[in-house]
Amino acid sequence: LGRDWREEGRYLKVKNRFHDFIAAAETLVSMGISQRSTLAAWGESSGGLLVTASINMRPDLFKAVLLYVPFVDAVNTMSDPSIPLTCGEWEEIGNPNQRETFYYMLEYSPYDNLRMQDYPAALVTASQNDTMVGYWEPLKYVSKLRRVKTDSNPVLLKVDFHAGHGGASDKSKSMRE
């Protein structure tokens, strides 16, 4: 789709990413390739931001989500320049230490936008030794989601106490997972 399309999803246009993701899911359903009762989404790290922001907007569209070390607390994480990659991500989604960006980010930050509504079933993972997405982000997201959701869909949490951002460092453990 090219550079222009990429630019339309940066800085104060980040929400276009979520609209595109939702449109792609709607297309799968409208073309009969999938249906809402079976459609699942998977997001890892910043892909977790994409999926969780999208399910906040359209929770009815997905049956389940798999969130692997998801980046879900955009405002707090992006406000801390000591976290690895934060300053580099300012080039992509903006710096919330700037007023306009802060308020824009609050509009889509998944953790900040959880509300009382039905959500799809979720399996969320965290890694204690993750230097990119602190283990506390998925934990507090799951805790809040469980408190506010209005359905009986399961929200499961798996914490790996030995892995980092990329999962298990042990090859045989990685294969078992």
Side-chain angles (χ1 to χ4, degrees):
L1 297 169
R3 184 163 182 78
D4 290 340
W5 178 75
R6 180 180 181 269
E7 292 300 320
E8 288 299 311
R10 297 178 73 204
Y11 302 114
L12 299 176
K13 298 179 182 179
V14 169
K15 288 191 284 185
N16 288 340
R17 297 174 182 186
F18 316 134
H19 297 300
D20 286 351
F21 186 76
I22 289 167
E26 289 173 333
T27 299
L28 291 172
V29 171
S30 70
M31 293 180 70
I33 296 169
S34 188
Q35 45 193 312
R36 292 178 181 174
S37 63
T38 60
L39 188 60
W42 172 70
E44 180 176 341
S45 191
S46 62
L49 174 72
L50 173 71
V51 172
T52 54
S54 299
I55 65 169
N56 279 345
M57 296 166 72
R58 286 293 308 280
D60 62 302
L61 194 51
F62 301 94
K63 177 68 173 174
V65 294
L66 172 59
L67 305 167
Y68 188 79
V69 295
F71 168 44
V72 289
D73 189 9
V75 174
N76 283 320
T77 298
M78 294 302 293
S79 295
D80 185 352
S82 71
I83 297 173
L85 298 182
T86 294
C87 295
E89 281 297 305
W90 288 348
E91 296 298 317
E92 191 65 28
I93 64 174
N95 179 351
N97 295 310
Q98 299 170 345
R99 184 180 180 87
E100 183 180 21
T101 304
F102 174 82
Y103 285 108
Y104 182 75
M105 217 174 258
L106 269 180
E107 292 177 15
Y108 69 80
S109 178
Y111 178 78
D112 296 299
N113 286 284
L114 286 170
R115 58 189 179 275
M116 292 182 71
Q117 65 181 10
D118 289 356
Y119 282 91
L123 172 59
V124 184
T125 71
S127 295
Q128 186 174 14
N129 297 313
D130 192 336
T131 58
M132 306 300 185
V133 175
Y135 68 88
W136 54 87
E137 275 195 57
L139 271 64
K140 72 183 203 175
Y141 175 82
V142 164
S143 177
K144 186 175 181 181
L145 177 59
R146 286 175 175 168
R147 278 194 326 270
V148 302
K149 70 187 200 71
T150 56
D151 58 70
S152 60
N153 293 328
V155 176
L156 306 175
L157 174 67
K158 178 184 178 205
V159 180
D160 190 322
F161 292 97
H162 305 289
H165 191 66
S169 58
D170 178 304
K171 189 183 290 185
S172 61
K173 182 179 178 190
S174 181
M175 290 174 65
R176 283 192 307 272
E177 286 182 354

